Amino acid sequence: FSGVAISHKLNADDTLETYAFWRDKKDNSPIYTAATVAIPAPARSAAAYDIGQDIYTLGARFVRAPKPGHIDAEFEGAWQGGHVNRQTTTFTGPYGGSAAELDQNAWALHSLIGFTPEGGPGKMRLDFEYNVASGDSHRTDNRNGSFMSLFPSNHKFYGFMDAFAWKNLEEWVATVRFTPLPKTTVRIDYHDFSLFTTSDAWYRANGVSTVRPLNTAAQHADRKAGTELDFTATWSPRVWATFDLGWSLFNAGAYMQATGARSDARFLYVQTTLKF
């Protein structure tokens, strides 16, 4: 893996970043070695990311820093080329194809508009996001259209329940942050998730594991995956002590109803950090 990133300060508030990354991966022994034999079924979920690949990612990112009373923004776009090995050597099925090596042609976009009201209550901050990453819409055209996240930490970007990666995804997000009490911050996020295409799988935060098998029912299901509400609160009574409280609710969408068991999910956690 290698790459270069260039950051250019346009003015006091605006920054433009450009980058080019290259990843050349031959195998992932013992889970995956090459496309000469079909990958065993238990390993196929991992193969979605760990397949042999020689891909390059070209991207650019614009950032306008937050400023009280002003609108700020983030915009990022990335495109991938090169080639990857397909996940199996069979000629039929959702991962089949007529060639062992597929041309990579995928893309992803991130956009954010933010606003910090001047003199707003509790130092309020508002964000609105739209994120999208391509999926493989045509599984037998000898091309891979599924965006390959590069060593991601998707946890803080696409829902705290880690159900999505920046891969075969379309997401709308609204976020509010504020400080109701001294040394206390609260954040509330609302996510609306859909798959970019149901011809590709629903990938979890690691960009590898899939929520549902890519069978006929999944390929004909509605794209609506669900919504997620995240609530987090942080209290720092001392410089060496921080306490976090988190609660999340995921409401399953039509995609899950069409592909198997469907139920909403909830979790609650408490975390303590002590610094020495």
Side-chain angles (χ1 to χ4, degrees):
F1 177 79
S2 60
V4 59
I6 300 173
S7 179
H8 177 61
K9 196 75 173 176
L10 300 176
N11 52 51
D13 299 322
D14 300 338
T15 302
L16 178 64
E17 302 169 349
T18 56
Y19 53 85
F21 299 131
W22 173 54
R23 189 182 189 211
D24 186 9
K25 181 179 179 63
K26 300 302 184 187
D27 58 47
N28 189 43
S29 180
I31 294 178
Y32 175 78
T33 52
T36 56
V37 295
I39 300 172
R44 284 180 189 158
S45 62
Y49 184 70
D50 289 331
I51 52 179
Q53 56 194 266
D54 184 0
I55 63 172
Y56 50 89
T57 304
L58 307 177
R61 180 171 180 257
F62 170 84
V63 178
R64 173 163 291 173
K67 196 173 182 179
H70 294 78
I71 293 176
D72 56 87
E74 294 179 9
F75 299 102
E76 182 174 1
W79 176 81
Q80 290 179 335
H83 62 264
V84 300
N85 291 346
R86 75 169 188 256
Q87 297 176 43
T88 175
T89 56
T90 62
F91 289 88
T92 59
Y95 295 106
S98 59
E101 187 176 270
L102 309 176
D103 292 333
Q104 178 74 3
N105 186 8
W107 55 270
L109 296 172
H110 159 71
S111 60
L112 180 149
I113 300 294
F115 181 65
T116 304
E118 191 169 10
K123 301 178 181 178
M124 182 178 290
R125 158 85 184 173
L126 304 172
D127 287 333
F128 301 94
E129 287 185 62
Y130 176 70
N131 300 304
V132 59
S134 64
D136 197 2
S137 301
H138 306 285
R139 305 218 56 105
T140 57
D141 62 354
N142 297 330
R143 295 181 181 179
N144 180 47
S146 191
F147 190 77
M148 308 282 272
S149 314
L150 296 173
F151 310 109
S153 175
N154 286 302
H155 173 69
K156 64 181 180 179
F157 299 115
Y158 313 111
F160 291 160
M161 297 183 80
D162 292 334
F164 294 88
W166 201 25
K167 182 174 184 176
N168 192 32
L169 170 71
E170 186 174 20
E171 177 199 30
W172 297 88
V173 191
T175 302
V176 58
R177 301 176 179 88
F178 58 96
T179 304
L181 297 170
K183 302 180 181 179
T184 303
T185 58
V186 172
R187 171 174 173 169
I188 303 172
D189 300 86
Y190 180 79
H191 305 259
D192 187 285
F193 295 110
S194 297
L195 301 188
F196 179 80
T197 174
T198 57
S199 295
D200 201 353
W202 171 350
Y203 297 95
R204 295 188 184 273
N206 60 8
V208 175
S209 304
T210 56
V211 174
R212 290 286 196 262
L214 191 58
N215 53 27
T216 301
Q219 291 177 312
H220 290 86
D222 190 278
R223 294 192 306 116
K224 180 72 172 182
T227 61
E228 180 174 328
L229 178 65
D230 298 319
F231 172 88
T232 55
T234 300
W235 179 44
S236 302
R238 298 288 187 272
V239 294
W240 47 268
T242 300
F243 301 92
D244 296 295
L245 170 68
W247 177 83
S248 294
L249 167 66
F250 184 85
N251 288 311
Y255 180 88
M256 298 196 75
Q257 186 173 8
T259 56
R262 176 189 182 276
S263 62
D264 298 336
R266 301 169 179 82
F267 74 55
L268 174 71
Y269 72 90
V270 177
Q271 175 177 288
T272 302
T273 303
L274 302 177
K275 300 177 181 180
F276 299 94

